[in-house]
Amino acid sequence: MPRTLRRSTPRRGSGDRAATFGEGPATPAVCLFGVAAAHRNLGVGALRAAAAAELIKREPDCRLTVFDEGWGQRAGEVLVAGRWVPIELCGVRNSRRLHRRESYLNMRLSAALGGLGNPGLARIDAADAVFDISGGDSFSDLYGEHRFHTVAWPKRLAVLRRRPLVLLPQTYGPFRSPKLRAQAAGLLRAAAMAWARDADSYQAMLELLGDDADPARHRLGVDVAFALEPREPDEALRDLLVEWFAGAPGPVAGINISGLLTRPAHAAGFGLAADGGRVLLRLGERLLAESDARLLIVPHVHTPGEADDDVAAARWLADALAARHPDRVLRLPAGLDQHQTKWAIARTDWFCGARMHATIAALSSTVPSAVLAYSDKARGVFAGVGQQGHVADARRLGDTEVDELLWSSWTGRARARAELTARVPEMLRRAGEQMDEILTCVRGEAAAPPRQRAVS
């Protein structure tokens, strides 16, 4: 295991980097951005939890600050090898309310005026590295210009304050706007290290960088959520789920339905040819009619009252399927965290998800899986474990074609499990090795003289 980082304390607000590791008693400090919605989106929660845990396993004394959607500075915790470890939380928002210290605009103005005691900026200034993950797939203008600027802000602040910026494994693009594409390329060039989470994303990164691509800094990795640790739900729910899973001899199929795919406005925005809600309803009905499977319906995004809420969509799907087969359908309760949800998903015999990180919870547990995709991001991740044939692209396939692909995935689950059993250990090994390489890079950055990185 790499040696533990030790650092000298930098001058807060100066923009100067810590001189070197090993000069003084202070513990290493890291900021983590891009995981703000972790309490609502279990995919983002998985990224936050896994990235933090992989770091703390290697640097137990690390002072980790996770930037989230809360207010002010607070205490938090992260699960590491079965125990809860304290971390620090700091609120940050892309808000026009300049008076709020959590506003990126306030942080940028404070930086121009010497710091002004802004707590978030002080955390960046005191950091040995700024880790950023853009929610996994938001370093793009696919979700609109506001979302792009939200994920670009911390990257710009890290570069402005001359802190080593590490882009953890994520997706790059697509970009419709030449202006935003140029800005993204500038931030990639300025990063101390940037990782793509699959081969398709890596190719997109190389295209963004052009002749500036550097194999030492711009790397192919794996989604950090592969390393997410499962944990049991609280005792009463655990016992209920264990009893239900063991309650009949047949297999259990898990279905994750996304609120994004069940509303016409979202479907039109993504250019979908297939109706996601209708396809998953038909899949459930066919599983109940033509097999002895029971169904576990799994929400993965909990945003009550909002258009992308999975809980409402899961309730609709479960109620529709349970109308004729009440004993064979169970909806996983909302309120479970990403670790507990992975624990439940890992107990299914096959899983079909519309949220990519729900399927990563399955794949990383060697559960045969299919994904109902609405963008390019899923294909690369599935290809990494040899499962690209289980990607049903709802933009290119109609309902009937998606139906048949998902059914073929279900009937071919034994072969898929064998493939995953052979491939997933390698993915887990790479997830650990990439954090080792990231920390080696950070040590080198700390020992090198500061340099200005221009951002176009």
Side-chain angles (χ1 to χ4, degrees):
M1 182 174 290
R3 64 181 177 84
T4 300
L5 306 179
R6 287 294 182 268
R7 55 177 290 279
S8 58
T9 303
R11 292 176 291 161
R12 292 185 178 231
S14 68
D16 291 335
R17 184 185 311 161
T20 59
F21 295 121
E23 295 183 0
T27 56
V30 173
C31 294
L32 175 60
F33 283 92
V35 289
H39 63 294
R40 296 181 292 127
N41 185 319
L42 298 187
V44 177
L47 293 171
R48 166 175 153 171
E54 289 299 298
L55 170 63
I56 292 171
K57 284 177 187 176
R58 291 158 176 78
E59 294 292 337
D61 297 328
C62 178
R63 183 185 179 191
L64 174 62
T65 299
V66 174
F67 285 77
D68 68 0
E69 291 181 323
W71 299 104
Q73 300 178 80
R74 291 149 288 116
E77 58 185 3
V78 63
L79 187 67
V80 182
R83 66 186 182 92
W84 292 101
V85 175
I87 60 173
E88 298 171 6
L89 304 176
C90 187
V92 67
R93 292 166 185 250
N94 187 6
S95 168
R96 294 184 180 276
R97 289 191 278 180
L98 188 58
H99 66 283
R100 294 291 324 191
R101 310 310 298 272
E102 296 86 1
S103 166
Y104 281 122
L105 286 172
N106 187 295
M107 293 172 70
R108 179 64 182 89
L109 180 61
S110 297
L113 298 176
L116 296 182
N118 183 289
L121 190 67
R123 299 280 176 138
I124 293 174
D125 285 346
D128 296 298
V130 173
F131 289 0
D132 181 283
I133 204 163
S134 302
D137 71 339
S138 295
F139 200 9
S140 163
D141 60 9
L142 179 67
Y143 303 105
E145 188 167 345
H146 178 80
R147 178 83 163 265
F148 171 82
H149 288 305
T150 297
V151 303
W153 262 117
K155 302 171 180 62
R156 290 189 175 280
L157 286 170
V159 174
L160 176 70
R161 305 306 280 179
R162 299 188 183 184
R163 289 294 176 263
L165 170 63
V166 177
L167 302 181
L168 297 180
Q170 56 190 276
T171 296
Y172 300 92
F175 292 98
R176 302 184 181 98
S177 164
K179 178 185 72 172
L180 298 184
R181 179 183 176 87
Q183 291 178 19
L187 290 167
L188 270 169
R189 287 193 294 270
M193 203 173 214
W195 291 75
R197 67 181 175 189
D198 58 70
D200 290 352
S201 297
Y202 183 60
Q203 184 59 40
M205 179 206 291
L206 296 182
E207 291 173 1
L208 280 169
L209 288 164
D211 293 340
D212 293 321
D214 178 358
R217 293 191 298 125
H218 304 120
R219 306 290 300 278
L220 172 62
V222 302
D223 193 295
V224 296
F226 270 87
L228 179 69
E229 181 178 345
R231 76 178 180 99
E232 294 180 343
D234 294 338
E235 185 175 359
L237 181 55
R238 179 202 65 200
D239 292 347
L240 182 153
L241 288 171
V242 168
E243 181 180 356
W244 186 80
F245 275 106
V252 173
I255 299 178
N256 157 244
I257 183 169
S258 166
L260 285 175
L261 302 186
T262 58
R263 295 177 180 263
H266 287 297
F270 290 119
L272 303 187
D275 184 310
R278 188 167 58 216
V279 161
L280 293 178
L281 177 60
R282 284 211 300 263
L283 171 66
E285 290 173 339
R286 188 173 182 183
L287 285 166
L288 293 169
E290 299 183 27
S291 79
D292 59 350
R294 288 170 297 141
L295 307 182
L296 181 69
I297 310 302
V298 180
H300 217 246
V301 171
H302 305 162
T303 54
E306 297 186 20
D308 65 342
D309 181 40
D310 289 3
V311 177
R315 185 179 298 113
W316 164 78
L317 180 61
D319 288 349
L321 294 171
R324 294 178 59 189
H325 303 276
D327 297 333
R328 294 173 64 190
V329 179
L330 179 67
R331 176 169 55 87
L332 195 66
L336 299 185
D337 68 17
Q338 58 274 2
H339 304 282
Q340 296 165 324
T341 301
K342 181 172 182 176
W343 177 91
I345 289 173
R347 277 153 180 75
T348 62
D349 297 283
W350 178 78
F351 189 80
C352 176
R355 298 282 186 182
M356 194 186 75
H357 277 97
T359 63
I360 288 178
L363 293 171
S364 61
S365 305
T366 67
V367 173
S369 304
V371 62
L372 183 60
Y374 60 88
S375 71
D376 292 332
K377 63 184 180 181
R379 200 205 77 85
V381 170
F382 269 65
V385 286
Q387 303 300 298
Q388 59 269 33
H390 298 259
V391 177
D393 191 332
R395 300 167 303 172
R396 299 182 174 92
L397 303 178
D399 284 11
T400 301
E401 294 167 301
V402 170
D403 289 345
E404 292 310 308
L405 191 152
L406 296 181
W407 190 254
S408 176
S409 177
W410 159 255
T411 57
R413 64 190 183 278
R415 177 178 175 183
R417 184 178 289 278
E419 293 169 344
L420 290 169
T421 300
R423 287 176 177 257
V424 166
E426 170 67 10
M427 297 291 280
L428 298 177
R429 182 186 66 79
R430 289 173 58 196
E433 287 183 350
Q434 71 192 9
M435 184 58 75
D436 293 336
E437 294 188 48
I438 286 166
L439 293 178
T440 297
C441 170
V442 172
R443 294 184 191 103
E445 286 287 313
R451 66 181 184 274
Q452 182 67 47
R453 294 188 178 96
V455 180
S456 62

